[in-house]
Amino acid sequence: MKIYGIVCVLVGVFLALAECDVVSKFQDEPGCIKFFYKGKVPIWGENTAGAAQLCQRFQNRFHFATLYNMHNRIAVYSAFIFQPNNGGGRETRWFVEPQLVNQNWGGEMREGYWLEKDYPGVYQGDKQALNEDYTFSGFDRGHLNPNGFHAVPSRNATFTLTNVVPQNPKLNQNAWANHESKLAKLFKSQCDKAYVLVGAIPSSDNWIIKNDVRRVNIPEYMWNAYCCINQNGVPIRSGAAIALNTEQNVVEEYTLSKMMEFLQKYSETPVGELFDNQCQ
C-alpha cells in the first residue's frame, strides 16, 4: 500500500511523539489508534492507491481518524468514538489538511483562507477537496463522522473537508440524518462506549467537475458500522447500514457479517473484520 505520510520521531531523551497527523500507520500514534476498538484497524481500504492515514487534529489534540483517498479526494472511512452532543452549533468554517499540501507544514487542520495567507500562491487542492469544489455542485458536504455525534471541540473538528463526501441532499437531510439520530439515541441509552466507522464506496466514474477537471468522486454508497461495549469493556451489540447515494433516500440496516459481504463486492482482497473479533 502506498501511503503518503510522515514519520514522528523521538526528540532528545524524551519519549514524546512529535506533533503530526498524517502518519505512516494509525498504530504508530497512541492518540489516534484509540479510536479503533481494541486498536484493530480494519483491513478494508488498506490497499487503496494513494491513501493517507490522517489523525484529525484540532486545538492541538486528536479527535478521530480518517483513511483518505487522495486520488478520489474523498475519505475511505472515518473512525471515532461517539460522544453525547453538548450543543455549540455548527461550524461556519471548512478546514483542510495542511500536510496533504506539504508534509513539512503543521499538522493542525486549517481553514483554507488562512492557510493561503501563510503560504500565498500555493495550490491546496492537488491531494484533497477544497470548499469551492462543493460550491454550486448540487451535492451536500456530507459528514462521515457526524458533528452531532460529538461534544465541542470534537464537534468542530468534524468540519474538515477530509471528513466529507459529495452526498445527495435528499439522502443527507432525510433518511441518512434520521438514521444518525436513531443511532445517537441508541448509543446514549444502551452503550457505555460506541466505536463507529463511517465510509463511502466511490463510484466508477461520477465526479464533481470544475473547469473540465474531475475534482471529487461522487460516492455510489454511504455505509456505517458500530460496536457497543459496556462499562467492563464487553461488547453488547453491533450493527451496520448502507444507503445508495441517490434520491432514492433509503437506508438499509445490516449486521456486521452482512456488511462484510457487501464490502467484499468492492474489494479484490479479503475484507476482514471491521472490529476486533467482530465485536463479540
Side-chain angles (χ1 to χ4, degrees):
M1 174 182 172
K2 182 180 179 181
I3 296 294
Y4 178 90
I6 61 175
V7 179
C8 294
V9 297
L10 295 176
V11 179
V13 296
F14 298 99
L15 297 177
L17 286 172
E19 292 181 349
C20 63
D21 65 351
V22 181
V23 297
S24 297
K25 293 182 179 180
F26 289 128
Q27 294 91 335
D28 292 341
E29 176 49 70
C32 193
I33 193 63
K34 68 181 181 181
F35 300 116
F36 299 89
Y37 175 55
K38 289 191 174 181
K40 179 180 177 60
V41 177
I43 298 174
W44 167 255
E46 72 173 11
N47 292 320
T48 301
Q53 299 189 32
L54 311 181
C55 296
Q56 302 280 14
R57 186 151 65 86
F58 179 72
Q59 293 187 355
N60 206 33
R61 69 181 179 89
F62 298 129
H63 298 271
F64 61 104
T66 299
L67 182 63
Y68 191 74
N69 184 328
M70 296 184 293
H71 171 70
N72 289 331
R73 300 186 183 91
I74 59 173
V76 178
Y77 64 75
S78 283
F80 57 94
I81 298 171
F82 173 81
Q83 299 171 310
N85 186 348
N86 63 354
R90 292 177 60 88
E91 265 286 353
T92 58
R93 302 168 293 176
W94 286 99
F95 304 114
V96 295
E97 172 51 64
Q99 291 180 348
L100 291 185
V101 184
N102 186 315
Q103 66 179 22
N104 296 314
W105 290 0
E108 183 94 359
M109 61 179 67
R110 298 282 303 280
E111 188 178 4
Y113 173 83
W114 292 110
L115 193 60
E116 165 67 20
K117 293 292 185 182
D118 289 343
Y119 304 99
V122 177
Y123 182 55
Q124 302 172 17
D126 279 341
K127 297 181 176 71
Q128 63 188 310
L130 302 177
N131 199 30
E132 53 261 37
D133 291 325
Y134 286 87
T135 305
F136 305 120
S137 69
F139 290 90
D140 284 356
R141 298 165 183 81
H143 280 70
L144 295 186
N145 179 2
N147 72 90
F149 277 24
H150 295 279
V152 172
S154 293
R155 179 174 180 136
N156 307 79
T158 65
F159 285 84
T160 170
L161 291 162
T162 54
N163 179 52
V164 302
V165 300
Q167 191 170 11
N168 181 279
K170 185 174 182 180
L171 174 66
N172 185 39
Q173 299 169 32
N174 293 278
W176 194 253
N178 293 338
H179 180 67
E180 289 177 339
S181 295
K182 178 181 176 181
L183 287 181
K185 292 177 182 177
L186 183 152
F187 296 157
K188 285 190 284 188
S189 63
Q190 299 187 32
C191 310
D192 283 281
K193 183 179 285 187
Y195 292 85
V196 189
L197 296 168
V198 186
I201 304 294
S203 60
S204 60
D205 195 26
N206 192 15
W207 295 74
I208 291 177
I209 298 175
K210 297 285 184 176
N211 300 318
D212 297 322
V213 176
R214 299 194 308 178
R215 284 292 304 158
V216 188
N217 186 277
I218 300 167
E220 182 179 358
Y221 281 95
M222 309 287 293
W223 64 271
N224 62 33
Y226 67 87
C227 174
C228 279
I229 62 175
N230 63 18
Q231 60 185 356
N232 297 317
V234 178
I236 53 177
R237 68 176 299 153
S238 62
I242 67 166
L244 193 64
N245 189 27
T246 67
E247 290 194 355
Q248 181 177 317
N249 193 35
V250 174
V251 174
E252 297 180 65
E253 295 192 25
Y254 279 6
T255 62
L256 288 184
S257 295
K258 191 172 181 180
M259 175 58 72
M260 287 173 59
E261 292 175 5
F262 171 78
L263 293 177
Q264 192 63 64
K265 298 175 184 177
Y266 301 91
S267 176
E268 297 178 354
T269 58
V271 169
E273 298 173 343
L274 295 177
F275 301 100
D276 182 75
N277 196 34
Q278 278 293 78
C279 191
Q280 295 179 358

